[in-house]
Amino acid sequence: MKISRIIGFFLCLVFLVSMSLLPVYAEISENSENETRPAYSKGDLNGDGQITSVDYLMLKRIFLGTLTPTVQQLFAADVNKDGKIASVDYLMVRRYFYQTYYFPPDVLQTQIPLTEEQIETIKMDYVEYFKAEYGEEHVESVTVSDIIVGDYYGPYSSCYSLFISHREVGWPDAITSEFVAGYEFVYPDGQTLTVYKDSSFVNLETAYETGLISEDDIQDLYWYFNPNRFK
């Protein structure tokens, strides 16, 4: 009896939320059907690289408390990024599966964030890299507070892909691009992606050519980097 009441309450919530979803996102994604995406990206609860009925049923069970999620599943289930699993998340995934809704770009780009400790380590390593690159005698006063860690696009083969720079280093302020493994990465402000591993920093092309990241990694990274391809 208690379970039936919970399910009834859940279905009522789903109906109410369906009436309140913003219409700006109620568009069909032309490329969503059978698309392969990175495992455990938003909506992919079973990690198979697709959003299917299995995913929204798993999300429903997590919401009802009949399935204990892993950390990755919990991340994938919180589609609207409010820090909790609710009926709105279930509805978003279900509607995405039926192609009556697409995830906004800020949702598609979401990765499990770096911790403060990880960011601090990356900044300290970048200070040493920066001094070695430009000559310590010229940049002796560089500190961690001078380093800016921008958008982060996730871990790939034990590497981290992100934007990072010194606050006083300028970029050409012009659109640039690079082709890596057949994928074009376009940078509107001229700053290119950096790949970080074991205190070393290289550009995306070098990381791929030297085997730090694989072609599959590039494909997943491109998926996160270009969310507007769905529009």
Side-chain angles (χ1 to χ4, degrees):
M1 187 68 175
K2 184 177 180 181
I3 294 296
S4 62
R5 287 181 179 177
I6 293 175
I7 293 175
F9 177 70
F10 173 78
L11 293 175
C12 287
L13 282 176
V14 168
F15 173 76
L16 291 174
V17 171
S18 68
M19 302 301 292
S20 63
L21 280 177
L22 294 176
V24 66
Y25 293 130
E27 299 180 14
I28 295 176
S29 167
E30 296 179 356
N31 301 319
S32 64
E33 187 175 6
N34 298 322
E35 182 201 26
T36 299
R37 58 184 59 224
Y40 298 106
S41 57
K42 291 298 186 183
D44 178 25
L45 275 73
N46 67 347
D48 67 352
Q50 293 185 335
I51 291 180
T52 67
S53 58
V54 172
D55 297 299
Y56 68 73
L57 290 175
M58 287 178 67
L59 203 158
K60 179 179 178 180
R61 289 185 60 198
I62 292 171
F63 174 75
L64 294 175
T66 60
L67 175 65
T68 301
T70 64
V71 172
Q72 290 175 310
Q73 288 172 338
L74 197 61
F75 171 79
D78 182 19
V79 180
N80 69 344
K81 303 189 298 181
D82 65 354
K84 56 187 177 182
I85 308 304
S87 56
V88 65
D89 299 301
Y90 164 80
L91 185 65
M92 290 169 74
V93 174
R94 189 173 187 275
R95 288 186 60 189
Y96 188 94
F97 171 69
Y98 285 110
Q99 295 191 314
T100 60
Y101 177 86
Y102 74 91
F103 295 161
D106 67 317
V107 169
L108 292 175
Q109 284 184 310
T110 305
Q111 280 272 18
I112 297 176
L114 294 167
T115 65
E116 291 298 324
E117 291 77 13
Q118 287 174 315
I119 292 174
E120 189 71 10
T121 298
I122 292 172
K123 284 184 174 183
M124 289 190 294
D125 286 342
Y126 195 79
V127 167
E128 298 306 314
Y129 160 80
F130 194 82
K131 289 179 178 179
E133 186 75 9
Y134 293 96
E136 189 162 357
E137 66 277 10
H138 300 297
V139 291
E140 186 176 356
S141 61
V142 174
T143 65
V144 169
S145 61
D146 296 318
I147 307 305
I148 299 174
V149 174
D151 291 339
Y152 167 65
Y153 292 96
Y156 303 94
S157 299
S158 301
C159 300
Y160 297 98
S161 180
L162 69 164
F163 285 111
I164 186 169
S165 65
H166 185 284
R167 66 174 66 254
E168 294 183 3
V169 172
W171 298 97
D173 196 25
I175 296 176
T176 59
S177 65
E178 62 178 337
F179 284 88
V180 183
Y183 295 91
E184 183 181 16
F185 291 79
V186 179
Y187 307 104
D189 61 0
Q191 183 180 7
T192 57
L193 276 170
T194 295
V195 175
Y196 164 78
K197 182 179 182 180
D198 298 335
S199 304
S200 298
F201 298 86
V202 296
N203 62 33
L204 191 59
E205 184 176 6
T206 300
Y208 174 66
E209 290 180 348
T210 58
L212 284 177
I213 54 179
S214 67
E215 185 172 346
D216 287 342
D217 292 330
I218 294 294
Q219 180 180 345
D220 285 355
L221 175 56
Y222 183 80
W223 192 93
Y224 281 112
F225 190 75
N226 293 274
N228 290 313
R229 70 201 179 291
F230 285 101
K231 290 186 175 182

